[in-house]
Amino acid sequence: MGPMGKQSPSSLPVPTGGSCLLFLFCLRLGTSCPQSCQCPDHAGAVAVHCSERDLQEIPQDIPANAVLLKLDANRIARVPNGAFQHLSQLRELDLSRNAIETVGPAAFAGLAAGLRLLDLSHNRIRRIPKDALGQLSAKVRLAHNPLHCECALQEALWELKLDPDSVDEIACHSSEQEEYVGKPLIQALDAGVSFCSVQHKTTDVAMLVTMFGWFTMVIAYVVYYVRQNQEDARRHLEYLKSLPSTPAAKDPLSPAP
């Protein structure tokens, strides 16, 4: 018999029947499902529903066997590097209708193999790092973001498989070329527009201006140097002219006058 006030394991109350299943279910939710979210289990696959939960950041305790993660309609402002790196089984990730402005270059690391759909629509994304989405094979939704159409965005889109159902809703909120502001980005790209060529031209002009500036400085220095030497030579000549002249020595072989 154990000490007074303690119970042996065999004497502990154990839930039976339906209460036992409820106990295990509640225990599982309490340890693996983010607070205020729901995590229904279907044949061992977990769907995590965190829609409209007023979340300001991505939860840290998402179950590792989640295949669906809905974080839409919250107040998430950024997607940090490695936010989903432990979710290797994830198939669908919904981050739409948030306030996302910043996407880390390694934000979706670990999701490249299995992810099938990534929804980033209806956010505040202006720029997308090329490496952030380049390794994904998933369909990506980017509609209704204030995108800045530039070379970096064009290069990022070359690596993506955009969702065909929403691709026409991707528009240039601002642009390196003003004539495309407010117009669908895909139409511009399909028409052969290259925002990278604009960047290259700008770089070439900047290099040309810089080289011209250096050339002008060199020419100005040479002109100054030449003029300075001419001035020094003139002053030296005037100095020699101002010296008193001395009579020439008489030659003894010359005839007497």
Side-chain angles (χ1 to χ4, degrees), residues 188-253:
L189 297 180
D190 287 344
V193 175
S194 176
F195 297 100
C196 293
S197 63
V198 174
Q199 184 184 53
H200 295 330
K201 289 179 181 178
T202 303
T203 303
D204 293 342
V205 170
M207 291 181 62
L208 182 62
V209 171
T210 302
M211 292 177 63
F212 180 77
W214 280 105
F215 181 75
T216 302
M217 290 176 61
V218 171
I219 295 297
Y221 176 78
V222 171
V223 171
Y224 170 80
Y225 181 79
V226 171
R227 288 183 177 178
Q228 188 66 31
N229 284 347
Q230 289 178 342
E231 184 66 18
D232 291 343
R234 184 184 64 79
R235 290 177 181 176
H236 184 66
L237 182 61
E238 290 180 353
Y239 171 75
L240 293 177
K241 289 180 179 180
S242 66
L243 294 177
S245 59
T246 57
K250 185 176 181 181
D251 186 357
L253 297 180

Side-chain angles (χ1 to χ4, degrees), residues 135-194:
Q135 301 301 318
L136 297 178
S137 58
K139 292 182 180 179
V140 180
R141 295 174 181 169
L142 288 172
H144 303 287
N145 277 287
L147 294 171
H148 178 64
C149 292
E150 58 181 349
C151 182
L153 177 63
Q154 182 174 343
E155 290 180 343
L157 294 181
W158 281 339
E159 305 291 333
L160 298 184
K161 183 168 65 175
L162 296 174
D163 178 29
D165 294 334
S166 61
V167 68
D168 292 334
E169 299 175 7
I170 302 175
C172 298
H173 184 266
S174 57
S175 175
E176 297 288 343
Q177 303 182 44
E178 293 295 330
E179 61 268 28
Y180 296 105
V181 173
K183 296 183 178 180
L185 174 59
I186 298 303
Q187 289 184 10
L189 297 180
D190 287 344
V193 175
S194 176

